[in-house]
Amino acid sequence: MIDSRTAALLQDIVRRESRSLLQYVSEAFPWVTPEERAALAELQKMINEERRAAQALGQYLVRQRVPPPYLGPYPMEYTTINYVSLDHLLPVLVENQRQAIARLERDLAAVTDAGAREQVEKILAMKQRHLTTLEAMAAAHPDRAATSPAAVATVS
């Protein structure tokens, strides 16, 4: 049985991972060209893997006799990415993944239970792997709208 502080931390991780930006994207329908369908399929694989990881952590909590958390809605700020291009979405996902990794690293430092630590380490390793993939995808799909002459003139 894990202590209440660790239980609360793990519940928070399940909540965050279940309501992450990457999970929201699975329902946001990014615009893709026919050439980008493979990239969207790769993104969907990451989404599914992260969903399964959050579920596995929730199952770990149940085995520890800790109730799963109430997930609640997705953050409102995510609604600004509905129906955006994959080119625009990828850099946003990269930054969001970096932030999620940093938060998990802080969480991991606070986990003393060996079993719970192992669970968080698995999620962290997966997210780091996904960050590398997202960075490569973003580099291969630059946001044309952000670098267009009209967009640059507006920013200046």
Side-chain angles (χ1 to χ4, degrees):
M1 184 95 159
I2 56 177
D3 64 272
S4 61
R5 183 170 168 251
T6 300
L9 183 62
L10 295 181
Q11 287 174 321
D12 188 48
I13 292 170
V14 169
R15 185 179 307 105
R16 283 194 329 252
E17 291 301 311
S18 298
R19 292 298 177 251
S20 70
L21 181 61
L22 197 57
Q23 291 306 307
Y24 184 83
V25 166
S26 71
E27 301 172 26
F29 308 105
W31 291 346
V32 294
T33 65
E35 297 80 26
E36 294 173 323
R37 287 188 184 140
L40 184 60
E42 181 67 23
L43 188 61
Q44 191 61 48
K45 280 190 217 173
M46 285 185 277
I47 290 167
N48 291 334
E49 186 178 2
E50 292 205 6
R51 180 177 299 125
R52 286 190 304 273
Q55 290 169 342
L57 183 57
Q59 290 168 347
Y60 174 80
L61 285 171
V62 170
R63 285 191 306 272
Q64 299 300 311
R65 294 178 170 54
V66 176
Y70 169 68
L71 299 180
Y74 286 100
M76 282 298 294
E77 63 264 18
Y78 291 177
T79 61
T80 62
I81 64 153
N82 289 335
Y83 306 106
V84 299
S85 72
L86 188 63
D87 295 344
H88 178 74
L89 181 60
L90 286 169
V92 174
L93 288 173
V94 166
E95 182 56 32
N96 186 270
Q97 193 79 336
R98 286 180 183 145
Q99 292 170 2
I101 288 169
R103 188 149 183 205
L104 272 174
E105 288 171 339
R106 286 190 304 271
D107 292 342
L108 187 58
V111 176
T112 55
D113 179 82
R117 188 170 184 77
E118 181 182 338
Q119 296 297 315
V120 177
E121 285 171 344
K122 285 181 194 176
I123 293 173
L124 181 58
M126 175 199 58
K127 292 189 86 61
Q128 289 168 332
R129 189 170 29 83
H130 288 175
L131 175 61
T132 301
T133 303
L134 286 168
E135 288 170 336
M137 291 172 70
H141 297 88
D143 187 355
R144 291 180 289 272
T147 58
S148 71
V152 172
T154 323
V155 174
S156 303

